[in-house]
């Protein structure tokens, strides 16, 4: 376990060094995330120019939700997307071999290898939006303050598990880099509370594709709308999702044969 | 008898590939339904390798060499057959086994493109759990043998192909594996870099006693490093034995080279001694059957007398033998 | 030229047949965002007694279904591939062939749409039943929609290429297209029908090209504008198309010169 943490630190440091070499890119990427966040806040404001509540969520709660959305999405782009992109590329080119030749978990080596440090800015902006939203909510209890980070971390792990599961299909279908694009589109659904969606989509977003849960639940927790029982279910579900996804990945790996070279 | 390091029995790998035809109609059809076909990449091979050996694994393109090495290093599940390396079944991919072996591929890189190799080494140290002192010793030794010095501090993308290969070797051997599978380690390198890599492999084998199975299309690699070779073709084993005997078994003839003082006037009739392969500037090369080589040589010396400046009897060049093996094999297959 | 296109078409279909699953994914791509905002507007409308401006819940459904269809038919993604090719020197071999690289992209684009249109229609029928969409479409609207969506597709394709061509000068096409996409997010009719953009945003959206790619053809198909207004909006489309056509030719020529100058 500590070995894996040390490895993570090594990966992160290498990435940071590399990104800082290209300062302009680094800055531009931060500006991009700022524009993206600002336009999304704009979209919420446009909706709220016609109403004061949306399915029981007022503007403050909606902003908290949007902030959570960017926290989760920023986490995805910072810690997950880079590795998964490389992973799919390696499957396509048949160059995944090296990770399989090492005496360490292939899943770890493949899925947590690369980072995009500049995307931490998106998480920071998400936190800012959450803070702005909170300033419109009267009072936050201790339980909410503790539950929020737990729910958020569950959200991160859920997104990770989803990506692991999705990317497993690459072992069979080879070219599924667009699953990534699909993932981002579904991710988009997280910007509104899951309960605005019609039944079939809501079910999808809270089970098969847990993006809705990953974003909505933390926002519910801090807005004081979730009981401890719900939080308990979230934790259990997250652990289960993680284990199942890892299993699935290992099954996929077994059928990976690599391209001829 | 010592325990074999590599012990392969009747190993097979069949790939299933989809076929596609040309033309619009066929394409549309394949959109719905695909035709499949089996490729026998490795069709049942058996061999053993003893500790400390360097064995050359030869065969033309598509013979099944890489496929075999991938099975031995645990990357591929075989379709049938057994293999043990160091007592482990490779495709179980036990960590204990992975820590004892390495697979290096000349056309692949395991280094991260954008960061210096030294950083990748650190990662490998953690992955292989190499204690700091052993890590330093290994890095120092590899740096010395491969003349790495400042190379490891440049981002990998800025290295030349040959430099990268050296660093690649260091990365692959940093955990001091006792078995190394080298798949075309000198591919694309210039002659002097090839020589250096060869020298390194030999020295590494001498120092560590590691067992090495190596494929290469450069016969110089094989001649310089391998006393023993295994030849496969279309997934089948054609020859397994000393490199020196390969010629005897596979090429039933020898080459007599005679140099004449008077420049071998075209009028000189040599056809009666053997098949004239080439004739230029007083040098004549004759191909003769192995059994009659001594007798023909004696006759040549006798008949040409003082006109002869030099004469030698040799096996044909190794490339030629190999080429002959494969083309004749193809001939028998197609016949 | 027709034979060239035929050959390219076969090659592309072949490539597409290899990635059957991917075709379905791409199709969902153009459905997801419209459905998200549709759901949000339905929630807003319900909170306001079912009516926002001239739209009720069923109008929103029709609008976003049309938007989804239009966004599939006008999708253009070649900018990203092109940037990749320029950056890694893959463009040179294509420039050597006697066919402008844009033709490869046109064919690829057409093939992608051809393969998506059937599954997309099925999904859209399903959604329109779920949301009980009401279309105000007349035959005139359908007649106007066909040229309008073609103009939109051409506009989207060309503007994508102009963006992509900036790869000749800068390695930051990604930033450029991010800003472009975010502007489209606000002004193209994605987050709200153009008519519902508050105050000055609506005027701005009519002056920018984004709405003419998505919102305008979608409203025409839904029957949300009168045929005469539709003609006016289509004139806007034509003007922007002309602007991008000229821009593309200029930028491309200058770009190729720049590219060969660098000798990549
Ligand atoms: N993943 C795969 N899928 C389908 N066929 C494969 C695959 N890998 C290898 N093959 C086929 O198996 C055969 C043996 O390939 P292999 O790579 O082992 O050859 P090789 O001896 O290493 O050749 P080379 O000298 O060209 O590297 C070839 O016919 C190849 O096309
Ligand atoms: Mg090979």
């Amino acid at each position: 376990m500590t070995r894996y943490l040390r490895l993570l630190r090594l990966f992160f440091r290498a990435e940071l060094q590399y990104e800082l070499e290209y300062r302009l890119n680094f800055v531009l990427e931060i500006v991009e995330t700022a524009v993206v966040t600002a336009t999304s806040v704009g979209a919420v404001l446009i909706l709220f120019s016609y109403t004061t509540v949306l399915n029981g969520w007022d503007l403050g709660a909606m902003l908290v939700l949007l902030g959570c959305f960017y926290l989760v999405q920023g986490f995805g782009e910072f810690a997950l997307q880079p590795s998964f992109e490389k992973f799919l590329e390696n499957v396509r080119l048949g160059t995944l071999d090296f990770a399989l030749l090492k005496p360490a978990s292939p899943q770890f080596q493949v899925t947590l290898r690369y980072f995009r440090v500049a995307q931490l800015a998106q998480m920071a902006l998400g936190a800012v939006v959450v803070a702005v939203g909170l300033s419109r909510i009267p009072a936050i209890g201790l339980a909410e303050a503790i539950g929020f980070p737990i729910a958020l971390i569950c959200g991160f792990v859920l997104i990770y598990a989803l990506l692991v599961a999705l990317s497993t299909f690459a072992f069979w279908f080879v070219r599924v880099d667009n699953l990534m694009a699909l993932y981002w589109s579904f991710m988009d659904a997280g910007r509104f509370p899951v309960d605005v969606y019609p039944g079939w989509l809501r079910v999808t977003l809270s089970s098969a594709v847990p993006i809705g849960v990953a974003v909505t639940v933390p926002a519910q927790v801090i807005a004081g709308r979730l009981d401890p029982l719900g939080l308990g279910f979230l934790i259990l579900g997250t652990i289960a999702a993680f284990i199942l996804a890892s299993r699935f990945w290992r099954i996929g790996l077994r059928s990976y044969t690599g391209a001829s070279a | 008898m010592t325990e074999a390091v590599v012990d392969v029995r009747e190993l097979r790998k069949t790939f299933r590939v989809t076929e596609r035809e040309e033309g619009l109609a066929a394409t549309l059809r394949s959109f719905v339904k695909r035709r499949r076909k089996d490729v026998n990449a490795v069709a049942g091979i058996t061999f053993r390798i003893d500790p400390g050996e360097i064995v050359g694994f030869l065969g033309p393109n598509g013979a099944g060499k890489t496929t075999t090495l991938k099975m031995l290093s645990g990357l591929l599940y075989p379709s049938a057959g057994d293999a043990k390396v160091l007592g482990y079944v490779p495709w179980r991919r036990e960590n204990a086994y992975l820590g004892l072996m390495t697979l290096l591929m000349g056309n692949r890189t395991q280094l991260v493109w954008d960061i210096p190799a030294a950083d990748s080494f650190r990662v490998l140290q953690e992955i292989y759990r190499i204690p700091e002192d052993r890590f330093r010793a290994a890095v120092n030794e590899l740096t010395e043998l491969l003349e790495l010095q400042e190379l490891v501090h440049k981002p990998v993308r800025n290295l030349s192909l040959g430099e990268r290969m050296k660093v690649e070797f260091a990365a692959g051997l940093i955990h001091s594996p006792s078995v190394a599978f080298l798949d075309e380690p000198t591919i694309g390198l210039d002659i002097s870099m090839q020589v250096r890599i060869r020298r390194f492999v030999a020295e590494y084998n001498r120092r560590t006693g590691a067992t090495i199975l190596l494929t290469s299309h450069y016969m110089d690699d094989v001649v310089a490093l391998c006393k023993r070779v295994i030849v496969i073709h279309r997934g089948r084993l054609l020859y397994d034995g000393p490199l020196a005997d390969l010629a005897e078994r596979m090429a039933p003839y020898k080459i007599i080279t005679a140099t004449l003082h008077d420049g071998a006037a075209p009028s000189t009739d040599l056809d009666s001694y053997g098949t004239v392969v080439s004739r230029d500037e007083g040098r004549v090369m004759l191909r003769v059957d192995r059994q009659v080589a001594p007798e023909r040589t004696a006759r040549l010396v006798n008949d040409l007398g003082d006109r002869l400046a030099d004469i030698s009897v040799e096996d044909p060049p190794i490339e030629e033998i190999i080429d002959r093996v494969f083309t004749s094999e193809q001939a028998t297959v197609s016949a | 030229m027709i034979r060239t296109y035929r050959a390219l078409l076969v090659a592309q279909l072949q490539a597409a047949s290899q990635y059957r699953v991917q075709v379905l994914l791409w199709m969902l791509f153009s459905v997801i965002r419209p459905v998200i905002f549709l759901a949000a507007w339905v929630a807003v409308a319900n909170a306001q007694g079912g009516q926002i401006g001239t739209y009720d819940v069923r109008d929103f459904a029709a609008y976003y279904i049309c938007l989804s269809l239009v966004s599939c038919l006008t999708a253009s993604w070649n900018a990203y591939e092109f940037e990749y090719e320029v950056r890694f020197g893959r463009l040179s071999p294509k420039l050597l062939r006697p066919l402008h690289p844009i033709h490869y992209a046109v064919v690829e684009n057409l093939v992608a749409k051809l393969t998506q249109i059937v599954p997309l229609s099925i999904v859209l029928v399903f959604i329109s039943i779920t949301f009980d969409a009401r279309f105000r479409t007349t035959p005139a609207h359908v007649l106007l929609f066909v040229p309008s969506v073609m103009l939109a597709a051409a506009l989207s394709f060309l503007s994508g290429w102009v963006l992509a061509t900036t790869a000749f000068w800068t390695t930051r096409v990604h930033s450029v297209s991010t800003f472009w996409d975010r502007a489209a997010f606000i002004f193209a009719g994605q987050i709200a029908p153009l008519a519902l953009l508050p105050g000055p945003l609506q005027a701005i959206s009519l002056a920018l090209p984004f709405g003419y790619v998505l919102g305008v053809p979608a409203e025409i198909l839904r029957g949300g504008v009168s045929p005469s207004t539709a003609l006016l909006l289509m004139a806007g489309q034509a003007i922007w198309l002309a602007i991008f056509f000229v821009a593309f030719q200029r930028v491309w020529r200058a770009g190729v010169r720049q590219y060969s100058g660098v000798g990549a």
Side-chain angles (χ1 to χ4, degrees), chain C residues 199-221:
Chain C
L201 289 185
Q202 193 179 338
I204 296 173
S205 78
L206 286 176
L208 293 174
F210 310 105
Y212 294 101
V213 173
L214 289 181
V216 165
E219 278 296 13
I220 294 178
L221 181 60

Side-chain angles (χ1 to χ4, degrees), chain A residues 3 6 97 102 257 259 261, chain B residues 70 76 108 110 127 129:
Chain A
R3 178 170 65 133
R6 276 204 302 275
D97 308 352
K102 304 262 151 39
T257 53
Chain B
K70 280 186 171 177
L76 286 179
R108 295 278 179 79
Q110 67 162 319
I127 287 180
R129 304 172 204 261

Side-chain angles (χ1 to χ4, degrees), chain A residues 168-169 171-172 247-257:
Chain A
T168 301
F169 288 105
F171 290 124
W172 295 292
R247 280 267 160 83
F248 186 45
W249 199 82
R250 263 202 301 279
I251 292 172
L253 187 64
R254 220 173 291 156
S255 67
Y256 167 78
T257 53

Side-chain angles (χ1 to χ4, degrees), chain A residues 261, chain B residues 65-66 183-184 215:
Chain B
K65 305 181 295 292
T66 302
D183 195 10
E184 305 188 35
T215 81

Side-chain angles (χ1 to χ4, degrees), chain A residues 260-261, chain B residues 60-67 69 107 183-184 215 217:
Chain A
S260 177
Chain B
N61 290 132
K65 305 181 295 292
T66 302
T67 307
L69 292 191
N107 50 4
D183 195 10
E184 305 188 35
T215 81
H217 289 292

